[in-house]
Amino acid sequence: MTGTQPPREASVTGTQPPREASVDVIQRELTAFARRARAAAARVHPELPLVSYTLLAHIEEQSGCRATDLAAHYLLDKSTVSRQVAGLEKLGLVERRPAPDDHRVHVLHPTEAGSRILATAQTNRLAAYQERLKDWSAEDLAHFASYLLRYNAAGTSGLPEGPPR
């Protein structure tokens, strides 16, 4: 990678093979990334946890969706989604509307306030990423983007089933 500071390398510590050392670094850095994302979500709206913010963004991206769609997409329990959606409704960021093809089903849509919050957050996030990545070459950015796509395409493979023991 280019820039003023070279990235920290995954180094072999003790008897740990290079592959395992690299996986350790990846796990640690993704955890740091997730913590920064939670903090950023709190700055967007102090009462909006990261999960709620993520659900609101998905609702907007899909131009509306059902709560069951959110649960399936994010591999969340329906009760978790229900609590998060209730919080978004209480904040006036989402509303339920009857589905056009089946009025028994409700589709979640962002309110004007929800869309405004997301637009502001997107502008701020994009500016932050532009700043953070300003010294990266186009090639480095393309590689990073392709690695993230590849990683996320793997879905839940390799993750344990159920809660930790």
Side-chain angles (χ1 to χ4, degrees):
M1 289 186 203
T2 63
T4 56
Q5 293 181 334
R8 291 184 295 203
E9 296 295 326
S11 59
V12 177
T13 56
T15 59
Q16 191 176 34
R19 181 175 176 82
E20 283 76 14
S22 294
V23 171
D24 273 353
V25 169
I26 290 165
Q27 182 276 324
R28 184 178 61 244
E29 295 302 316
L30 286 176
T31 299
F33 178 84
R35 288 185 178 140
R36 283 191 304 274
R38 280 189 200 91
R43 285 191 303 272
V44 168
H45 194 292
E47 297 177 59
L48 193 62
L50 180 61
V51 172
S52 294
Y53 172 80
T54 304
L55 297 180
L56 178 60
H58 186 80
I59 293 166
E60 170 115 325
E61 288 167 10
Q62 299 300 308
S63 299
C65 67
R66 299 172 303 156
T68 54
D69 298 330
L70 291 169
H73 181 77
Y74 288 106
L75 304 173
L76 294 170
D77 186 79
K78 290 177 188 176
S79 64
T80 299
V81 171
S82 179
R83 280 191 307 275
Q84 298 296 328
V85 167
L88 289 168
E89 287 178 306
K90 183 178 176 185
L91 293 170
L93 303 177
V94 297
E95 62 187 4
R96 295 175 191 264
R97 296 182 203 155
D101 55 339
D102 185 349
H103 291 286
R104 296 171 297 172
V105 175
H106 286 97
V107 178
L108 302 166
H109 291 274
T111 62
E112 285 185 33
S115 293
R116 276 194 312 272
I117 282 178
L118 286 171
T120 299
Q122 177 63 19
T123 299
N124 293 341
R125 280 195 343 236
L126 185 57
Y129 281 117
Q130 292 285 3
E131 177 62 27
R132 184 171 229 148
L133 300 170
K134 69 182 178 189
D135 295 330
W136 290 37
S137 71
E139 183 180 8
D140 286 343
L141 291 172
H143 285 291
F144 188 49
S146 69
Y147 293 149
L148 287 172
L149 288 168
R150 181 176 166 193
Y151 178 80
N152 285 326
T156 60
S157 66
L159 295 178
E161 296 291 325
R165 295 178 192 196

